[in-house]
């Protein structure tokens, strides 16, 4: 893990606070962590929390504002990252990635990566959303392209229902990252 470059994309699930713990675990293990945040994640958390934990600017979706690096998606995907993880991955993010949408920083980064480096996705959502064909087919497609889909946990969800779709715990996600590197 030491000096490995981990690109951690955080999306707008209620569970995104757990990405703070994952960032902290990775940093403590010696990794460099670059966080990118989706529009949804920015509704839940401020970049400052990840900046304090990772000691790096947390990158927001607008890819036209980066200076001095004017093509950040290429740098991140092809030069910087040793591994990419989406933690948590919202239903919206899964649909966007499975459709190849590249109108934001992470979408473009995802397309610029050729799967020579591991790409991990950790879904997190309500059980009905998780069971929806849009999500299941999106995950199958992403897996067929080379993404590793991390299991969800079964348990009490933030909405009160009990079932699949709960975000895998940060410690377990950390183990998957270690194994994939
Ligand atoms: C309180 C609250 C909790 C949410 N939790 C989830 C969730 O766990 N998983 C999910 O897929 N969407 C969840 N959503 C919906 C997403 O935030 C919404 O689809 C958003 O557009 C996702 O944006 P993103 O993909 O840019 O992060 C939640 C919305 C609210 C208001």
């Amino acid at each position: 893990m030491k000096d490995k470059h981990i690109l951690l994309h955080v999306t707008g699930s209620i569970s995104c606070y757990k990405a703070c713990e994952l960032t902290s675990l990775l940093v403590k293990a010696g990794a460099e962590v670059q966080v990118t945040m989706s529009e949804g994640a920015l509704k839940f958390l401020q970049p400052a929390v990840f900046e304090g934990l990772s000691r790096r600017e947390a990158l927001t979706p607008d890819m036209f504002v980066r200076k001095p690096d004017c093509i950040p998606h290429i740098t991140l995907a092809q030069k910087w990252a040793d591994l990419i993880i989406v933690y948590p991955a919202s239903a919206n993010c899964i649909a966007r990635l499975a459709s190849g949408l590249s109108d934001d920083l992470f979408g473009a980064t995802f397309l610029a990566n050729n799967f020579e480096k591991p790409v991990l996705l950790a879904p997190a959502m309500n059980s009905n959303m998780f069971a929806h064909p849009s999500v299941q087919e999106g995950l199958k497609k992403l897996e067929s392209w080379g993404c590793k889909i991390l299991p969800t946990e079964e348990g009490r969800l933030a909405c009160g229902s009990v079932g699949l779709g709960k975000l895998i715990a940060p410690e377990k996600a950390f183990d998957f990252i270690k194994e994939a590197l």
Side-chain angles (χ1 to χ4, degrees):
M1 192 67 81
K2 178 124 183 52
D3 297 329
K4 291 290 182 190
H5 287 187
I6 312 295
L7 176 59
L8 169 59
H9 183 56
V10 182
T11 75
S13 157
I14 187 81
S15 62
C16 64
Y17 68 92
K18 294 181 186 172
C20 302
E21 181 61 24
L22 181 58
T23 304
S24 175
L25 288 170
L26 290 165
V27 169
K28 280 181 194 154
E32 291 279 334
V33 181
Q34 175 63 68
V35 172
T36 57
M37 298 176 75
S38 71
E39 286 297 347
L42 288 166
K43 301 236 166 72
F44 289 92
L45 296 170
Q46 293 287 325
V49 69
F50 292 110
E51 292 172 346
L53 290 166
S54 68
R55 308 287 167 89
R56 282 178 169 270
E57 181 184 4
L59 304 179
T60 52
D62 186 349
M63 61 184 149
F64 293 93
V65 295
R66 302 282 149 228
K67 298 283 183 314
D69 184 359
C70 300
I71 42 172
H73 55 298
I74 305 298
T75 307
L76 285 172
Q78 296 174 13
K79 299 197 176 94
W80 194 84
D82 294 314
L83 177 147
I84 298 173
I85 180 165
V86 185
Y87 181 95
S90 66
N92 184 54
C93 172
I94 289 164
R96 289 175 56 81
L97 296 180
S99 304
L101 293 183
S102 54
D103 58 355
D104 71 358
L105 176 59
F106 187 74
T109 304
F110 180 75
L111 287 192
N113 161 64
N114 61 1
F115 295 105
E116 275 174 13
K117 301 153 189 170
V119 180
L120 278 50
L121 295 169
M125 68 203 69
N126 164 271
S127 325
N128 284 5
M129 290 172 81
F130 187 60
H132 196 283
S134 164
V135 171
Q136 288 303 317
E137 285 171 20
L139 289 173
K140 266 193 214 121
K141 199 193 233 187
L142 290 163
E143 192 167 34
S144 76
W145 291 349
C147 295
K148 164 103 181 148
I149 312 300
L150 304 194
T152 64
E153 296 186 352
E154 195 165 352
R156 191 181 174 283
L157 300 165
C159 55
S161 64
V162 176
L164 280 174
K166 188 178 161 80
L167 180 65
I168 187 171
E171 297 77 11
K172 290 187 190 161
F174 178 88
D175 289 343
F176 274 105
I177 292 171
K178 221 163 55 175
E179 195 184 303
L181 280 169

